[in-house]
Amino acid sequence: MQTMTPWRQRKKAAKRQKVLTIGLVVFTFLCGIGAGYWWNSEHSMVKQLTYALEKTKDDLSMAKHTLDGTRADLDTTRLELEKISKVSDIRKNSEAIFLKVLDVHRKYSKIVEAADKNVSKNKRGKTKKELEVMWESEFFPLKDQLTQLENTLAELEQRESREFDLPTTPPMMLRESKK
């Protein structure tokens, strides 16, 4: 076995010391990066929360000052919005009733066409009576609803109510008056 000379021992010790020093520097560097990242993220989060809190405080104070002066305005605006909402609902309902009236008229027109194809006077008279009863039970309630909605709408819009020129007789009656 060879014995190491003190010179070689010193050389190896110096080499180990360099490697250990470089390893320690790299380890310290990595720990510093990790600690810095953690510190910045923690500090950044605190900054964000502080900013959000201050902004919320400012917004609340602004809202408090403007709220005191605008309560009356909000009440009138709320009433106007409710009125607009009611007007919109009434118009939608009246449009739906108009469509129902047209559907009823279309339905009775089809029944009349089918009855016109039937030559028998007995069946035609029976169909006429049935049609009049059905017309009165479906058409006139729709017309009353439409008139009521129009009166309510006119009151909300502060104007006179309109009169609708709707057919008041069933389609068969119209055709018989033409013949």
Side-chain angles (χ1 to χ4, degrees):
M1 184 172 185
Q2 281 186 0
T3 57
M4 290 180 115
T5 61
W7 179 250
R8 283 188 177 172
Q9 286 178 348
R10 284 186 201 164
K11 199 174 183 183
K12 276 193 170 188
K15 198 174 191 179
R16 270 187 258 144
Q17 191 174 7
K18 276 186 185 178
V19 169
L20 185 63
T21 305
I22 291 173
L24 190 59
V25 167
V26 168
F27 178 73
T28 307
F29 178 73
L30 293 176
C31 287
I33 288 175
Y37 178 74
W38 175 78
W39 178 263
N40 281 339
S41 67
E42 187 95 2
H43 187 65
S44 175
M45 187 66 101
V46 170
K47 266 187 177 179
Q48 288 174 357
L49 293 175
T50 305
Y51 175 76
L53 183 63
E54 287 177 6
K55 185 176 179 185
T56 305
K57 276 184 179 178
D58 290 342
D59 289 345
L60 285 175
S61 65
M62 292 278 281
K64 183 179 178 184
H65 291 292
T66 58
L67 181 67
D68 293 339
T70 60
R71 284 186 190 241
D73 293 340
L74 290 175
D75 289 339
T76 55
T77 304
R78 189 182 76 236
L79 291 174
E80 288 176 10
L81 287 175
E82 288 176 5
K83 181 180 172 183
I84 290 170
S85 173
K86 286 179 185 178
V87 167
S88 175
D89 290 342
I90 290 173
R91 286 190 176 158
K92 286 178 184 175
N93 290 341
S94 64
E95 287 175 10
I97 291 175
F98 272 125
L99 291 175
K100 287 179 184 177
V101 167
L102 292 175
D103 286 341
V104 166
H105 199 271
R106 187 178 307 122
K107 179 174 125 181
Y108 288 107
S109 295
K110 288 180 182 179
I111 293 172
V112 167
E113 287 175 10
D116 280 346
K117 291 179 183 176
N118 197 352
V119 184
S120 172
K121 286 189 177 186
N122 189 20
K123 279 192 171 183
R124 188 178 283 176
K126 186 177 177 182
T127 305
K128 178 181 173 186
K129 289 178 186 177
E130 289 176 1
L131 192 61
E132 286 176 5
V133 170
M134 290 170 59
W135 182 261
E136 288 177 7
S137 68
E138 288 189 31
F139 176 74
F140 289 113
L142 290 175
K143 185 176 179 184
D144 291 341
Q145 286 178 355
L146 188 62
T147 304
Q148 187 179 20
L149 286 174
E150 176 56 30
N151 290 337
T152 307
L153 184 64
E155 184 180 311
L156 286 173
E157 292 180 343
Q158 299 174 350
R159 61 171 174 79
E160 290 186 29
S161 63
R162 299 174 286 198
E163 293 293 323
F164 297 107
D165 189 22
L166 300 173
T168 55
T169 58
M172 183 175 266
M173 301 292 278
L174 293 174
R175 288 218 173 118
E176 286 183 1
S177 65
K178 290 180 184 176
K179 288 183 180 178

